[in-house]
Coordinates of all heavy atoms in Angstrom, one line a residue:
Q19 N 0.8 -1.2 0.0 CA 0.0 0.0 0.0 C 0.9 1.3 0.0 O 0.6 2.2 -0.7 CB -0.9 0.0 1.2 CG -1.9 1.2 1.2 CD -3.0 1.1 2.2 OE1 -2.9 1.7 3.3 NE2 -4.0 0.3 1.9
V20 N 1.9 1.2 0.8 CA 2.9 2.4 0.8 C 3.5 2.6 -0.6 O 3.5 3.7 -1.1 CB 4.0 2.2 1.8 CG1 5.1 3.2 1.7 CG2 3.4 2.2 3.3
E21 N 3.9 1.5 -1.2 CA 4.5 1.6 -2.5 C 3.5 2.3 -3.5 O 3.9 3.2 -4.3 CB 4.9 0.2 -3.0 CG 5.4 0.2 -4.4 CD 5.6 -1.2 -5.0 OE1 5.5 -2.2 -4.2 OE2 5.8 -1.3 -6.2
F22 N 2.3 1.8 -3.5 CA 1.3 2.3 -4.5 C 0.8 3.7 -4.2 O 0.5 4.5 -5.1 CB 0.2 1.3 -4.7 CG 0.5 0.2 -5.7 CD1 1.2 -0.9 -5.3 CD2 0.2 0.3 -7.0 CE1 1.6 -1.9 -6.2 CE2 0.5 -0.7 -7.9 CZ 1.2 -1.8 -7.5
L23 N 0.8 4.1 -2.9 CA 0.5 5.5 -2.6 C 1.6 6.4 -3.1 O 1.3 7.5 -3.6 CB 0.3 5.6 -1.1 CG -1.0 5.0 -0.5 CD1 -0.9 5.1 1.1 CD2 -2.2 5.8 -0.9
E24 N 2.8 6.0 -2.9 CA 3.9 6.8 -3.4 C 3.9 6.9 -4.9 O 4.2 7.9 -5.5 CB 5.2 6.2 -2.9 CG 5.4 6.4 -1.4 CD 6.7 5.8 -0.8 OE1 7.2 4.9 -1.4 OE2 7.1 6.3 0.3
R25 N 3.6 5.8 -5.6 CA 3.5 5.8 -7.1 C 2.4 6.8 -7.5 O 2.5 7.4 -8.6 CB 3.1 4.4 -7.6 CG 4.2 3.4 -7.6 CD 3.7 2.2 -8.4 NE 4.5 1.0 -8.2 CZ 4.3 -0.2 -8.9 NH1 3.3 -0.3 -9.8 NH2 5.1 -1.2 -8.6
A26 N 1.4 7.0 -6.7 CA 0.3 7.9 -7.0 C 0.6 9.3 -6.6 O -0.2 10.2 -6.8 CB -1.0 7.5 -6.3
G27 N 1.8 9.6 -6.1 CA 2.3 10.9 -5.9 C 2.2 11.4 -4.4 O 2.3 12.6 -4.2
V28 N 1.9 10.5 -3.5 CA 1.8 10.8 -2.1 C 3.2 10.6 -1.4 O 3.8 9.5 -1.6 CB 0.7 10.0 -1.4 CG1 0.6 10.3 0.1 CG2 -0.6 10.2 -2.1
D29 N 3.6 11.5 -0.6 CA 4.8 11.3 0.2 C 4.4 10.6 1.5 O 3.6 11.1 2.2 CB 5.4 12.7 0.6 CG 6.3 13.2 -0.5 OD1 6.8 12.4 -1.3 OD2 6.5 14.5 -0.6
V30 N 4.9 9.4 1.7 CA 4.5 8.6 2.9 C 5.8 8.4 3.7 O 6.8 7.8 3.3 CB 3.9 7.2 2.5 CG1 3.5 6.5 3.7 CG2 2.8 7.4 1.5
D31 N 5.7 8.9 5.0 CA 6.8 8.7 5.9 C 6.2 7.6 6.9 O 5.3 7.9 7.7 CB 7.1 10.0 6.7 CG 8.2 9.8 7.7 OD1 8.9 8.8 7.6 OD2 8.4 10.7 8.5
V32 N 6.8 6.4 6.9 CA 6.4 5.3 7.7 C 7.1 5.3 9.1 O 8.4 5.3 9.1 CB 6.6 4.0 7.0 CG1 6.2 2.8 7.9 CG2 5.8 3.9 5.7
F33 N 6.4 5.4 10.1 CA 6.9 5.2 11.5 C 6.4 3.9 12.0 O 5.2 3.7 12.2 CB 6.5 6.3 12.4 CG 7.0 6.2 13.8 CD1 8.3 6.6 14.2 CD2 6.2 5.5 14.8 CE1 8.7 6.4 15.5 CE2 6.7 5.3 16.1 CZ 7.9 5.8 16.4
H34 N 7.3 2.9 12.2 CA 6.8 1.6 12.7 C 7.5 1.3 14.0 O 8.6 1.7 14.3 CB 7.1 0.5 11.6 CG 8.6 0.3 11.3 ND1 9.3 -0.6 12.0 CD2 9.4 0.9 10.4 CE1 10.6 -0.6 11.5 NE2 10.6 0.3 10.5
F35 N 6.8 0.5 14.8 CA 7.3 0.1 16.1 C 6.7 -1.3 16.3 O 5.8 -1.8 15.6 CB 6.8 1.1 17.1 CG 5.3 1.1 17.4 CD1 4.8 0.4 18.5 CD2 4.5 1.7 16.5 CE1 3.4 0.4 18.7 CE2 3.1 1.7 16.7 CZ 2.5 1.1 17.8
K36 N 7.2 -2.0 17.4 CA 6.7 -3.3 17.8 C 6.1 -3.2 19.1 O 6.7 -3.0 20.1 CB 7.8 -4.3 17.8 CG 7.3 -5.7 18.0 CD 6.5 -6.2 16.8 CE 6.0 -7.6 17.0 NZ 5.1 -8.1 15.9
G37 N 4.7 -3.2 19.2 CA 4.0 -3.1 20.4 C 4.2 -4.3 21.3 O 4.5 -4.2 22.5
A38 N 4.2 -5.5 20.7 CA 4.4 -6.8 21.4 C 3.5 -6.9 22.7 O 3.9 -7.5 23.7 CB 5.9 -7.0 21.8
K39 N 2.4 -6.3 22.6 CA 1.4 -6.4 23.7 C 1.9 -5.8 25.0 O 1.5 -6.2 26.1 CB 1.0 -7.8 23.9 CG 0.4 -8.5 22.7 CD 0.2 -10.0 22.9 CE -0.2 -10.6 21.6 NZ -0.4 -12.1 21.7
R40 N 2.9 -4.9 25.0 CA 3.5 -4.3 26.2 C 3.2 -2.8 26.2 O 3.6 -2.1 25.2 CB 5.0 -4.6 26.2 CG 5.3 -6.0 26.4 CD 6.8 -6.2 26.4 NE 7.1 -7.7 26.5 CZ 8.4 -8.1 26.5 NH1 9.4 -7.3 26.4 NH2 8.6 -9.4 26.7
L41 N 2.6 -2.3 27.3 CA 2.4 -0.8 27.4 C 3.7 0.0 27.3 O 3.7 1.1 26.7 CB 1.7 -0.5 28.7 CG 1.4 0.9 29.0 CD1 0.5 1.5 28.0 CD2 0.7 1.1 30.4
S42 N 4.8 -0.6 27.9 CA 6.0 0.2 27.9 C 6.5 0.4 26.5 O 7.1 1.4 26.2 CB 7.1 -0.6 28.7 OG 7.3 -1.9 28.2
N43 N 6.3 -0.6 25.6 CA 6.7 -0.4 24.2 C 6.0 0.8 23.5 O 6.5 1.5 22.7 CB 6.5 -1.7 23.4 CG 7.5 -2.8 23.8 OD1 8.5 -2.5 24.5 ND2 7.3 -4.0 23.3

């Protein structure tokens, strides 16, 4: 989805994290 949004001319900055079911994360 990110790839095709960018192909359509949208700048996408992905911020990813791993929650792992932990509030501290």
